[in-house]
Amino acid sequence: MNPSSPPRSRQIPVIVLAGFLGSGKTTLLNHLLRHRAGNRIGVIVNDFGSIEIDAMTVSGQVGSTVSLGGGCLCCAVDVSELDTYLETLTRPAARLDVIVIEASGLAEPQELVRMLLASENPHIVYEGLVEVVDAAEFAATRERHPEIDRHLAVADLVVLNKTDRAGEAERLRVREAVAATGSTAAVVPASYGRVDPELLFDPALRPDSDEKARQLSFEDLYLEERAAETGEEHGGHLHAAYESLDFTSDVPMSPRRLMAFLDSRPEGLYRIKGYVDFGAGDPANAYALHAVGRFLRFAPQPWTRGGPRLTRLVLIGSGIDVPGLRKALEDCRAPDGPTTDTAQDAAHERSMWGVLRYVRGPGDDA
């Protein structure tokens, strides 16, 4: 398989969106629905009562599902029925690209994450816990809900929302609070929940037949109207809140060195995606790498016959040292070229090639 190709049995990324009442979760969700990067999004709302999503009210009745337009769906569910609705949303007929679970303002997001990681649904892959924080009201929220420190500690990405209303001192206090929990989560500033969707999920890749002729979606109309009103391009300046690094190597990577790098990922590095060439260790396969926060997964994918054998990775984060990360990845290459490696690397290879899938998550031994 070509390293730039998606896996044959595609898994739908599932994002948990959490934050206390008033932090701006639903505003951020509405923003994602308007700027979907072409994706069809399934929304699971873990809450009761009246919830407004994109100007449509979703009844708090467990089991209700409504269309949000553009192929997006929304369900209001109880946590105990999460697996049931994931099964529904991952059916081929739903044609979804991304699933977002909006947790109740009083929910324990760690429980949702544990359920996802323990899920036996082969069609999903955990894509991280996003904790939304009201920067302007952080001190007051922390006083009312001291458990916010626990939520920050397990978050993979912290969206520091309403920064337009918070001074620099308050923003610094939030960042210090995140660091004090021991978290290495990326912290991204935002106003009105506007974060770049590409920080959370990839743009949709559609077959040509899907794109030749189609009706304009709500997203298309909204973006055109917005651009006409403000003069902004579709992407705006949202990408300025984070940095990305594209890394390509025609020299195979050392398993031992790469794992050491992945196990000590620096603060602010949120996502890593791509394919890795381990050379002689497994000449038949490229290894799909997916990392979000502290969660890490490898999966073998056969190379395409006659295609290039390259390591291709994209790293995304906030406040990351791009030149330093590039140098660290260059140092992960096999020391003696594409056909030989150290005894330690060979031993590490044998332990990896003996399994079909390599997964590491929070709490696992390094």
Side-chain angles (χ1 to χ4, degrees):
M1 170 165 284
N2 189 302
S4 61
S5 306
R8 287 173 180 167
S9 54
R10 182 182 174 278
Q11 292 178 302
I12 301 175
V14 179
I15 300 164
V16 177
L17 183 61
F20 287 96
L21 297 172
S23 61
K25 295 192 307 297
T26 302
T27 302
L28 191 153
L29 180 55
N30 285 334
H31 170 76
L32 293 179
L33 289 169
R34 294 187 183 114
H35 303 78
R36 296 177 288 113
N39 288 285
R40 298 181 178 95
I41 301 178
V43 180
I44 297 178
V45 180
N46 165 224
D47 210 342
F48 296 93
S50 182
I51 304 163
E52 284 219 351
I53 296 183
D54 213 34
M56 297 183 66
T57 300
V58 180
S59 168
Q61 197 74 19
V62 173
S64 63
T65 302
V66 299
S67 172
L68 297 179
C72 296
L73 300 173
C74 183
C75 308
V77 305
D78 182 82
V79 175
S80 64
E81 297 188 342
L82 181 61
D83 269 334
T84 301
Y85 281 88
L86 285 173
E87 180 64 29
T88 299
L89 294 178
T90 55
R91 290 174 182 166
R95 301 182 67 206
L96 295 179
D97 301 296
V98 181
I99 295 173
V100 179
I101 302 176
E102 183 184 3
S104 160
L106 299 176
E108 278 293 338
Q110 191 168 8
E111 293 306 312
L112 286 171
V113 172
R114 284 174 178 166
M115 290 181 69
L116 289 171
L117 293 178
S119 175
E120 296 182 357
N121 188 325
H123 306 297
I124 65 170
V125 59
Y126 173 61
E127 193 71 7
L129 168 61
V130 180
E131 181 77 16
V132 185
V133 174
D134 183 341
E137 299 291 335
F138 178 72
T141 302
R142 201 178 190 190
E143 185 175 346
R144 290 193 308 272
H145 302 289
E147 62 269 29
I148 193 173
D149 285 9
R150 186 168 66 250
H151 296 188
L152 293 172
V154 299
D156 300 298
L157 175 69
V158 176
V159 175
L160 191 55
N161 198 28
K162 305 184 184 181
T163 51
D164 54 310
R165 294 173 45 202
E168 185 59 35
E170 189 62 25
R171 298 181 206 177
L172 182 60
R173 275 193 287 272
V174 177
R175 291 180 177 274
E176 289 174 346
V178 173
T181 68
S183 171
T184 59
V187 179
V188 177
S191 298
Y192 304 100
R194 294 195 293 256
V195 297
D196 193 328
E198 290 191 36
L199 182 59
L200 304 179
F201 48 77
D202 298 332
L205 297 176
R206 302 276 178 223
D208 290 342
S209 59
D210 284 359
E211 297 296 338
K212 286 179 180 176
R214 65 178 177 85
Q215 185 176 358
L216 284 175
S217 68
F218 172 79
E219 178 190 20
D220 296 325
L221 297 172
Y222 174 85
L223 291 176
E224 286 188 6
E225 181 180 345
R226 174 72 178 170
E229 290 176 353
T230 65
E232 293 179 3
E233 293 299 324
H234 290 184
H237 58 278
L238 299 175
H239 66 278
Y242 65 92
E243 298 85 31
S244 64
L245 164 65
D246 294 323
F247 176 80
T248 302
S249 175
D250 57 1
V251 176
M253 307 298 278
S254 156
R256 177 176 56 84
R257 294 184 180 190
L258 184 61
M259 288 310 306
F261 168 80
L262 293 172
D263 283 336
S264 58
R265 299 194 288 282
E267 181 178 345
L269 182 55
Y270 174 54
R271 292 179 70 200
I272 307 175
K273 56 187 179 180
Y275 287 81
V276 179
D277 175 18
F278 285 120
D282 188 355
N285 291 303
Y287 276 71
L289 169 59
H290 169 260
V292 57
R294 293 163 293 171
F295 180 79
L296 172 65
R297 174 183 302 238
F298 277 107
Q301 303 289 337
W303 292 106
T304 298
R305 183 177 300 176
R309 300 199 171 195
L310 303 171
T311 292
R312 294 173 176 168
L313 297 173
V314 177
L315 289 73
I316 302 172
S318 177
I320 57 175
D321 176 7
V322 172
L325 287 174
R326 186 179 300 279
K327 176 64 165 59
L329 284 171
E330 290 172 350
D331 290 344
C332 290
R333 293 181 293 197
D336 298 320
T339 58
T340 61
D341 216 335
T342 65
Q344 286 177 303
D345 288 333
H348 201 119
E349 285 169 1
R350 285 192 294 273
S351 71
M352 290 180 64
W353 313 145
V355 294
L356 290 177
R357 181 161 290 158
Y358 178 91
V359 178
R360 179 170 294 170
D364 292 345
D365 292 334

